[in-house]
Amino acid sequence: MNGFAAADSSQSQDRIYWGYKRFFRRTTLETSDYLKDDCLIMNCTVGVVRTHLEGPKQYSISVPPSDMGWGFKELLESETGCDIDFQVGDETFRSHKLILAARSPVFRAQFFGLVGDPNMDKVVVKDVDPLIFKAMLLFIYTDKLPDAHEITGSTSMCTSTNMVQHLLALSDLYNLDRLKLLCESKLCEELSAENVATTLALAEQHQCMQLKAICLKFAANPANLGGFLFPPLCLN
Amino acid sequence: MNGFAAADSSQSQDRIYWGYKRFFRRTTLETSDYLKDDCLIMNCTVGVVRTHLEGPKQYSISVPPSDMGWGFKELLESETGCDIDFQVGDETFRSHKLILAARSPVFRAQFFGLVGDPNMDKVVVKDVDPLIFKAMLLFIYTDKLPDAHEITGSTSMCTSTNMVQHLLALSDLYNLDRLKLLCESKLCEELSAENVATTLALAEQHQCMQLKAICLKFAANPANLGGFLFPPLCLN
């Protein structure tokens, strides 16, 4: 307590010291309620001034954001070094075990795990739409949620929301956590009176707690469902 | 011109319509200088109000940033599926042709190019420090500039600036454009009177135009070199 009291007693009213005015005199402290059983508990809130870090630098060279997916997507499109074929419905997708294993623990176990087969060169995938599998492959290689147009072409009837709903289920199957979150975020953005029931069921089935909570909040607000529950009577 | 004039004549002073006050009456327009050879040229400047897009959303699920490098780094560290060894000085680094090929056009030509050898399983790399090669490998797998401590350990004499200088040279050799820019940016941050000459020579040798220009600007400012050119005389 000596240094503390000394700092206090050296306080000069002629000069401004940050925080000095909030110091206690030793005598005031020793007679205060703050001292219990000769103990003082201090709770410090520290603020960090980041002005220096955020300020413009005298000289700087800007670096573009990560383009890691670009090179991998090129390998996928050129089929360079492919060593595994996926048969999905009527379509075959050529791919790379190593890249799939780096991105999904399920593929890692399948190709490089103790019970996996390292010489496997063909996998038949059942009950999955080829377009949804293609979308998942694109995510694996690029780390981005693919655009519905990129996958289906403009002539398809498959809507973006529908694609994302199926992609969420597939991401759960292959333990692609970030893809699952990207799908949840997209479905959350596109939530409407028409799709809230399907989205809620999907969230429930695939343990998407955030999405489920948002669906329930959305449905609980009469303003969100108003137009759906009470369609205008003047329609033909 | 009919619709135009009609909209104008329906203007009511009791209600506020955006832009209506700037309408011309048909008679004023027809006698004005704006009409030339019975033609009127209109120049429209359109402003887009993006408040809606930028405003907070009612419901949203946040998605973490890309973690693509995480899975690839794990493959490197666990040596899962490695198919190529690099002998660099006294050290051997196990790696994956496919990942190297996805990231560097030089490796792609070496392993999958027309004159490349697809069965190659060992490469001897001469005149490169093993630590710098390790740093490059880490960048290839993670897309991040590795920390000097991660590469050298705390006991090494190799400084961060020195490592980055050598890494820049290696990134140029393997056409790793983003690594080169990351190195340039780092060297720019660390520019000092002591290293500006070496950095300038390096920038010149590897065609780093931005870094070269910054070195020259730095050297041209007497305040930057002052301490270096005129060391204090009071030192022992």
Side-chain angles (χ1 to χ4, degrees), chain B residues 173-197:
Chain B
L173 191 66
Y174 286 101
N175 266 24
L176 294 160
D177 293 342
R178 197 168 167 272
L179 176 57
K180 195 174 164 188
L181 266 176
L182 279 166
C183 291
E184 286 182 59
S185 175
K186 187 83 177 164
L187 290 177
C188 175
E189 271 175 31
E190 293 180 356
L191 213 54
S192 70
E194 287 79 9
N195 65 34
V196 65

Side-chain angles (χ1 to χ4, degrees), chain A:
Chain A
M1 298 291 290
N2 277 342
F4 187 76
D8 185 21
S9 62
S10 73
Q11 181 179 3
S12 156
Q13 294 301 325
D14 301 326
R15 297 165 74 184
I16 296 163
Y17 295 101
W18 285 8
Y20 265 36
K21 289 194 174 170
R22 292 175 184 269
F23 271 28
F24 260 127
R25 291 206 166 270
R26 185 175 184 148
T27 46
T28 319
L29 179 70
E30 282 175 352
T31 56
S32 77
D33 289 344
Y34 294 114
L35 218 61
K36 277 171 185 152
D37 300 331
D38 206 29
C39 271
L40 172 71
I41 295 174
M42 295 176 77
N43 183 8
C44 305
T45 304
V46 179
V48 178
V49 179
R50 297 192 57 180
T51 325
H52 177 69
L53 286 173
E54 286 164 4
K57 287 175 196 151
Q58 194 182 4
Y59 307 110
S60 74
I61 292 175
S62 61
V63 179
S66 174
D67 59 354
M68 207 172 183
W70 183 85
F72 289 107
K73 193 182 175 194
E74 216 178 52
L75 282 192
L76 181 71
E77 285 173 349
S78 65
E79 299 189 352
T80 305
C82 284
D83 55 1
I84 186 86
D85 284 357
F86 288 94
Q87 179 75 48
V88 193
D90 296 336
E91 291 201 45
T92 303
F93 298 101
R94 308 211 67 200
S95 185
H96 308 85
K97 289 181 197 171
L98 199 68
I99 295 171
L100 300 172
R103 305 277 287 139
S104 151
V106 175
F107 281 127
R108 191 175 313 178
Q110 191 169 13
F111 301 134
F112 298 100
L114 290 175
V115 292
D117 176 6
N119 298 317
M120 189 189 296
D121 61 2
K122 185 161 187 172
V123 176
V124 178
V125 180
K126 287 179 183 161
D127 303 323
V128 174
D129 185 310
L131 291 180
I132 307 302
F133 194 84
K134 186 181 171 188
M136 184 186 73
L137 273 189
L138 269 175
F139 167 79
I140 286 177
Y141 280 72
T142 62
D143 213 30
K144 285 178 190 153
L145 189 67
D147 190 74
H149 290 292
E150 198 179 349
I151 303 299
T152 61
S154 55
T155 53
S156 168
M157 295 298 286
C158 177
T159 67
S160 167
T161 305
N162 190 261
M163 184 191 94
V164 176
Q165 285 173 342
H166 283 89
L167 199 50
L168 188 148
L170 203 58
S171 71
D172 195 28
L173 189 67
Y174 286 101
N175 266 23
L176 293 162
D177 293 342
R178 196 166 168 274
L179 176 58
K180 195 174 164 189
L181 266 176
L182 279 165
C183 291
E184 286 183 57
S185 174
K186 186 82 179 165
L187 290 176
C188 175
E189 271 174 32
E190 293 179 356
L191 214 54
S192 70
E194 286 78 10
N195 65 34
V196 66
T198 332
T199 304
L200 177 60
L202 193 80
E204 177 72 34
Q205 194 181 347
H206 297 283
Q207 291 86 45
C208 310
M209 292 309 133
Q210 282 190 83
L211 186 59
K212 184 182 164 185
I214 288 170
C215 284
L216 291 173
K217 263 192 217 164
F218 185 93
N221 186 345
N224 288 327
L225 299 184
F228 190 62
L229 295 174
F230 312 108
L233 295 174
C234 57
L235 288 177
N236 290 331

Side-chain angles (χ1 to χ4, degrees), chain B residues 11-29:
Chain B
Q11 181 180 2
S12 156
Q13 293 301 325
D14 300 326
R15 296 165 75 183
I16 295 164
Y17 295 101
W18 286 6
Y20 264 35
K21 290 196 173 170
R22 292 175 186 270
F23 272 25
F24 260 129
R25 289 202 170 272
R26 186 176 185 146
T27 46
T28 319
L29 178 69

